[in-house]
């Protein structure tokens, strides 16, 4: 018996029985082609079905052809899409998993590809998101759109789908916008109070039920609270849920926040698991149909707790199922330690808006051939891995899985490399699980691990002459030598490793992720002007901090609340023993009361290892930060790809 009996008990959803309470919510993949289902898309969802998920809600599926949400999103706007959907539903159903597309009209959030007409919205309001002013959709157009939702649902049913999810959450898209007072300023029967703003969604539900009858699941995704002044609140959420139940909805998917209040709807790293559970718990008191909760549910125990404690009936587990398609199967079979850990980094969605396919930091390949399916090679080799960081550990695992003899040598007394430091700042503790996971599977698969072992020319010539080498020795923090005359300086890595202890008036040069996370780590938890509080200043040359970093919003908000001073467009010009001089907007400024200068200006590759390998005439590959500094996704992906290709 599973130790998660509530999580793996069946649940009745309308006329349909779903085998367990682990549902997969919509996550955009960009794997569709011109809206059509592809073989890659089928394989993606089939892998999660095979992994034990009870029900899958696919990514956004548009109901009409004019407005495109994402370059690679799905559609079912005419009958030509049915054939692909049949293949998808059949692939998922063979594992006993149910599947619903998320029906959506992007409206003012459509992708502005050339030739797209003026975007539509509940009202002519678009300052929060739209790049151009939308126009208010007419009542005549709404009649057509309602019919299009019904026709799309009918195609889903004809394709073998089990139902549909209607996306009306996050002040997102047409229905979410109509519900939210942030966007809906209409004065006709579709605007005004909550009853009128809900009208369009209720009419869509009625049309779908009319076309698809009672044995077809209708689920609606809502924000139980938009967490925004002027937006929907929990009282609205309770009322909306009650009206949806009266309208014949089979279950309600309760999220929270909006797409325009960054960090509110999709929880960032460090956000508590079950981030919207208070909304689901409260709304569940007032309705009798099942309630699904969502929001960074990444570990089995929390999903079990939420259901066992009566806070929700269903757990929507998205990123964790993306990271490990066998999340449910491993959980049910007592193999929790083998679950590939989701760190909540949001890199899975980082490139989606730019047309890139979905990716994962910890799962290096979402292709048909991946970590789980890779086969042994015919030619077995001896492989030496130098360095036990994420790139090295990944390379060692894949090389061993392909049948090679693998020895991993790490100069420190533990594996992990820079992940050990990256896990130290606030909200980064999930990275410790990555080290645990990668280390344990190396032991299980039989990789020979040698700690406190520094590779030298002598060891290469004496023991490893017939080995192919993968070097993953990392990089070292950059220190600007001209600025080392300051009375006390150190690197961010020194601080995070506990090798140096800063004072109370700290200047950090560099506003990338390392500089900001170190500032967050050092800053007082409460900005209350307590005399012993540290004062932190970040000096960044660019126009903003952590530019293009996923999940940056909450970290920046947290630093500002803690009183961290962030100065952008600031270039440090010179430093002496007591003073730090920088230029901003053509003017020179001086910080004269700092006691510590911290370098967080990036990392430098160490080419010594490559020179040594060349001198020893070794067949070698340089990967990870040793080749080019990057993030954990870059490191793991390089380790995977290099070992796969040997």
């Amino acid at each position: 018996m599973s130790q998660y009996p509530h999580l793996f008990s069946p649940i009745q959803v309308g006329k349909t029985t779903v085998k367990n309470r682990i549902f997969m919510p919509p996550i955009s993949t960009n794997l569709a082609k011109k809206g059509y289902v592809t073989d890659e898309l089928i394989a993606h969802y089939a892998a999660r079905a095979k992994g034990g998920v009870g029900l899958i809600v696919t990514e956004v599926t548009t109901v009409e052809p004019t407005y495109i949400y994402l370059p690679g999103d799905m559609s079912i706007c005419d009958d030509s899409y049915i054939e692909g959907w049949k293949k998808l539903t059949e692939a998922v159903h063979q594992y006993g998993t149910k599947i619903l597309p998320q029906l959506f009209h992007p409206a003012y959030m459509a992708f502005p590809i050339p030739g797209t007409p003026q975007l539509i919205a509940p009202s002519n309001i678009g300052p929060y998101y739209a790049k151009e002013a939308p126009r208010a959709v007419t009542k005549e157009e709404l009649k057509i759109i309602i019919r299009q939702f019904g026709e799309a649902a009918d195609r889903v049913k004809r394709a073998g789908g089990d139902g549909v999810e209607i996306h009306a959450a996050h002040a997102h898209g047409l229905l979410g916008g109509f519900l939210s007072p942030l966007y809906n300023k209409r004065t006709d029967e579709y605007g005004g109070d909550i009853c009128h703003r809900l009208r369009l969604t209720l009419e869509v539900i009625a049309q779908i039920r009319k076309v698809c009858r009672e044995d077809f699941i209708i689920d609606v995704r809502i924000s139980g609270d938009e967490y925004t002044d002027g937006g929907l609140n929990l009282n609205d959420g309770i009322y909306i849920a009650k009206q949806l139940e009266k309208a014949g909805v089979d279950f309600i998917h309760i999220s929270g926040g909006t797409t325009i209040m960054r960090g509110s709807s999709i929880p960032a790293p460090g956000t508590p698991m079950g981030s919207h559970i208070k909304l689901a718990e409260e709304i569940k008191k007032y309705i009798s149909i099942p309630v699904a909760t969502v929001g960074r549910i990444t570990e089995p125990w929390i999903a079990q707790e939420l259901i066992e404690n009566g806070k929700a009936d269903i757990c929507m587990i998205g990123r964790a199922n993306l990271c490990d398609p066998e999340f449910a199967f491993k959980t049910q079979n007592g193999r929790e330690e083998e679950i590939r850990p989701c760190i909540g980094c949001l890199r899975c969605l980082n490139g989606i808006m730019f047309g890139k396919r979905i990716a994962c930091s910890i799962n290096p390949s979402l292709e048909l051939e991946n970590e789980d399916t890779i086969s042994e090679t015919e030619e077995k080799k001896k492989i030496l891995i130098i360095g036990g960081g994420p790139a090295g550990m990944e390379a060692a695992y894949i090389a061993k899985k392909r049948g090679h003899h693998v020895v991993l040598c790490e100069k420190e007394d533990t594996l992990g490399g820079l992940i050990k430091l990256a896990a130290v700042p606030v909200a980064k503790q999930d990275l410790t699980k990555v080290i645990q996971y990668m280390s344990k599977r190396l032991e299980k698969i039989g990789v020979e691990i040698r700690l406190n072992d520094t590779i030298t020319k002598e060891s290469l010539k004496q023991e490893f002459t017939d080995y192919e080498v993968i070097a993953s020795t990392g990089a070292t923090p950059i220190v600007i030598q001209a600025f080392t005359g300051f009375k006390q300086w150190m690197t961010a890595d020194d601080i995070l490793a506990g090798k140096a202890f800063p004072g109370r008036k700290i200047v950090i040069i560099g506003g990338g992720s390392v500089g900001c996370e170190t500032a967050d780590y050092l800053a007082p938890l409460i900005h209350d002007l307590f005399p012993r509080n540290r004062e932190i200043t970040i000096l960044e040359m660019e126009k903003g901090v952590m530019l293009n970093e996923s999940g940056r919003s909450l970290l920046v908000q947290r630093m500002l609340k803690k009183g961290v001073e962030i100065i952008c467009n600031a270039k440090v010009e010179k430093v002496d023993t007591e003073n730090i001089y920088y230029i901003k907007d053509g003017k020179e400024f001086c910080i004269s009361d700092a006691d510590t200068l911290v370098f967080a200006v990036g990392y430098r590759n160490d080419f010594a290892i490559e020179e040594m390998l060349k001198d020893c005439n070794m067949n070698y590959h340089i990967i990870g930060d040793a080749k080019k500094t990057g993030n954990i996704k870059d490191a793991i992906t390089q380790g995977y790809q290099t070992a796969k290709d040997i």
Side-chain angles (χ1 to χ4, degrees):
M1 289 292 291
S2 169
Q3 59 179 307
Y4 303 102
H6 293 81
L7 192 57
F8 288 97
S9 62
I11 183 168
Q12 192 71 22
V13 178
K15 305 289 185 181
T16 304
T17 301
V18 182
K19 64 182 179 181
N20 62 46
R21 313 296 181 98
I22 298 177
F23 288 17
M24 187 170 179
I27 301 179
S28 293
T29 65
N30 269 340
L31 294 178
K33 187 174 182 180
K34 296 183 179 180
Y36 289 93
V37 172
T38 61
D39 290 343
E40 283 185 298
L41 200 54
I42 292 171
H44 174 78
Y45 286 119
R48 276 79 202 164
K50 183 179 180 181
V53 170
L55 181 148
I56 293 171
V57 181
T58 74
E59 62 214 83
V60 160
T61 304
T62 54
V63 300
E64 59 83 51
T66 306
Y67 299 102
I68 306 300
Y69 178 58
L70 291 172
D73 66 11
M74 302 170 75
S75 183
I76 194 159
C77 64
D78 64 49
D79 286 0
S80 66
Y81 295 89
I82 293 177
E83 182 181 354
W85 273 95
K86 281 183 178 178
K87 293 178 181 178
L88 175 56
T89 58
E90 289 168 1
V92 168
H93 284 162
Q94 67 178 311
Y95 301 107
T97 299
K98 309 301 180 184
I99 184 167
L100 323 176
Q102 185 189 67
L103 298 188
F104 185 65
H105 190 303
Y108 50 93
M109 292 180 170
F111 200 86
I113 61 175
T116 301
Q118 184 179 10
L119 304 185
I120 60 173
S123 309
N124 58 343
I125 292 176
Y128 303 115
Y129 189 95
K131 294 181 180 179
E132 297 178 358
R135 66 173 177 83
V137 63
T138 67
K139 289 192 289 184
E140 290 71 24
E141 288 172 318
L142 289 180
K143 292 177 182 177
I144 296 171
I145 291 170
I146 292 166
R147 189 187 74 237
Q148 288 171 329
F149 270 96
E151 291 171 347
D154 178 60
R155 294 185 191 104
V156 172
K157 187 170 185 178
R158 284 191 278 150
D162 300 287
V164 294
E165 174 171 276
I166 299 169
H167 189 357
H170 308 148
H172 191 56
L174 190 67
L175 299 184
F178 262 83
L179 264 180
S180 177
L182 295 171
Y183 280 108
N184 189 339
K185 311 295 181 180
R186 298 174 76 101
T187 56
D188 61 13
E189 61 266 40
Y190 290 100
D193 65 17
I194 187 63
C195 299
H196 292 89
R197 297 199 312 274
L198 180 59
R199 179 171 182 158
L200 178 60
T201 299
L202 294 178
E203 290 182 352
V204 167
I205 293 166
Q207 182 67 18
I208 293 174
R209 186 61 78 203
K210 176 183 176 182
V211 172
C212 297
R213 304 302 178 188
E214 296 300 320
D215 60 343
F216 190 73
I217 297 172
I218 299 178
D219 143 42
V220 181
R221 189 178 201 186
I222 65 169
S223 286
D225 189 325
E226 291 183 338
Y227 309 138
T228 306
D229 290 344
L232 295 171
N233 58 49
L234 182 55
N235 292 328
D236 298 317
I238 293 170
Y239 179 81
I240 291 168
K242 291 166 71 175
Q243 303 315 305
L244 293 177
E245 180 176 25
K246 290 178 182 177
V249 168
D250 296 302
F251 80 93
I252 301 180
H253 178 180
I254 298 174
S255 185
T258 69
T259 53
I260 55 181
M261 185 179 178
R262 287 180 289 276
S264 65
S265 60
I266 304 177
T271 305
M273 288 191 288
S275 53
H276 302 307
I277 190 58
K278 290 182 180 179
L279 306 179
E281 180 182 16
E282 188 63 22
I283 289 172
K284 183 172 161 45
K285 297 175 183 176
Y286 300 94
I287 58 177
S288 58
I289 57 176
V291 167
T293 187
V294 71
R296 206 165 177 272
I297 303 171
T298 58
E299 297 179 21
W301 70 269
I302 185 67
Q304 168 74 10
E305 284 287 298
L306 296 179
I307 294 171
E308 182 177 358
N309 296 341
K311 296 179 182 292
D313 303 295
I314 297 159
C315 285
M316 289 280 184
I317 301 177
R319 283 175 281 176
N321 270 309
L322 177 73
C323 186
D324 193 331
E326 292 190 315
F327 177 91
F329 180 76
K330 291 176 180 177
T331 298
Q332 189 170 19
N333 289 278
R335 296 165 51 197
E336 296 93 326
E337 290 188 351
E338 296 178 31
I339 295 174
R340 189 182 289 107
C342 171
I343 59 174
C345 64
L346 295 176
R347 291 200 185 275
C348 48
L349 302 178
N350 207 29
I352 290 294
M353 291 301 294
F354 304 102
K356 295 181 180 179
R357 57 172 293 147
I358 196 165
C360 176
S361 289
I362 309 304
N363 188 341
S365 176
L366 303 179
E367 311 289 340
L368 286 173
E369 183 182 56
N370 53 55
E371 277 189 336
D372 302 319
T373 62
I374 199 166
S375 57
E376 286 196 9
T377 182
E378 292 182 5
E379 182 185 0
K380 306 297 193 294
K381 297 181 178 180
K382 294 180 179 179
I383 307 292
L384 169 64
I385 311 290
I386 306 176
M393 287 193 286
E394 179 68 22
Y397 174 73
I398 295 300
K400 183 67 177 180
K401 198 166 185 183
R402 297 198 70 221
H404 300 300
H405 172 72
V406 182
V407 177
L408 187 157
C409 294
E410 165 58 47
K411 66 180 180 180
E412 303 290 341
D413 59 358
T414 57
L415 297 175
L418 283 179
I419 307 183
K420 292 183 291 186
L421 302 189
V424 172
V426 177
K428 296 296 292 296
Q429 62 275 6
D430 282 352
L431 287 172
T432 60
K433 296 186 292 187
V434 177
I435 300 174
Q436 289 176 324
Y437 166 76
M438 298 186 83
S439 300
K440 286 178 180 177
R441 69 176 186 172
L442 288 180
E443 295 173 7
K444 184 175 181 179
I445 204 171
V447 171
E448 182 181 343
I449 300 172
R450 302 181 186 179
L451 301 176
N452 298 304
D453 191 337
T454 301
I455 293 296
T456 63
K457 283 186 178 181
E458 290 71 27
S459 60
L460 286 174
K461 292 178 179 179
Q462 292 174 12
E463 184 178 358
F464 299 111
T465 53
D466 56 344
Y467 279 68
E468 190 162 340
V469 179
I470 300 176
S472 172
T473 49
T476 56
I478 295 173
V479 173
I480 303 173
Q481 293 300 321
F483 299 163
T484 56
F486 195 73
K487 55 190 173 185
Q488 178 174 241
W489 65 267
M490 58 195 65
T491 68
D493 283 31
D494 291 333
I495 294 171
L496 298 177
K499 295 179 179 178
F501 193 74
R504 292 189 187 147
K505 181 75 173 180
I506 301 164
V507 173
I508 298 175
I509 302 178
S513 58
V514 173
C516 289
E517 288 171 359
T518 303
D520 187 29
Y521 170 66
L522 294 173
L525 296 179
I526 301 172
H527 181 41
D528 61 354
L529 302 181
F530 184 67
R532 293 178 63 84
N533 281 351
R534 286 192 174 108
E535 297 178 43
I536 317 290
T537 299
I538 294 176
L539 298 176
E540 169 55 47
M541 291 177 60
E542 300 291 338
K543 62 182 179 180
V545 294
M546 291 183 67
L547 294 177
N548 301 317
E549 288 286 333
S550 54
R552 67 176 292 278
S553 180
L554 290 186
L555 173 54
V556 174
Q557 291 177 50
R558 196 162 59 237
M559 287 193 295
L560 294 175
K561 288 178 183 177
K562 291 179 174 183
V564 174
E565 185 177 10
I566 301 172
I567 305 175
C568 297
N569 294 313
K571 183 179 180 181
V572 179
E573 286 286 296
K574 59 182 178 178
V575 170
D576 59 33
T577 306
E578 299 291 333
N579 303 292
I580 300 166
Y581 299 90
Y582 66 93
I583 301 293
K584 179 177 172 62
D585 300 328
K587 298 179 181 179
E588 183 179 82
F589 297 85
C590 175
I591 299 175
S592 59
D593 57 349
D595 56 38
T596 307
L597 177 63
V598 177
F599 293 109
V601 291
Y603 293 85
R604 178 179 288 112
N605 309 110
D606 183 358
F607 298 105
I609 184 69
E610 186 166 11
E611 292 301 319
M612 182 174 68
L613 293 169
K614 285 181 179 178
D615 289 345
C616 294
N617 199 30
M618 304 295 293
N619 184 8
Y620 69 89
H621 312 266
I622 307 294
I623 65 171
D625 285 348
K627 181 178 182 180
K628 182 181 179 182
T629 55
N631 53 48
I632 187 173
K633 177 185 180 300
D634 299 327
I636 292 177
T637 300
Q638 284 183 31
Y640 169 81
Q641 198 64 47
T642 301
K644 183 177 79 73
D645 293 342
I646 288 178

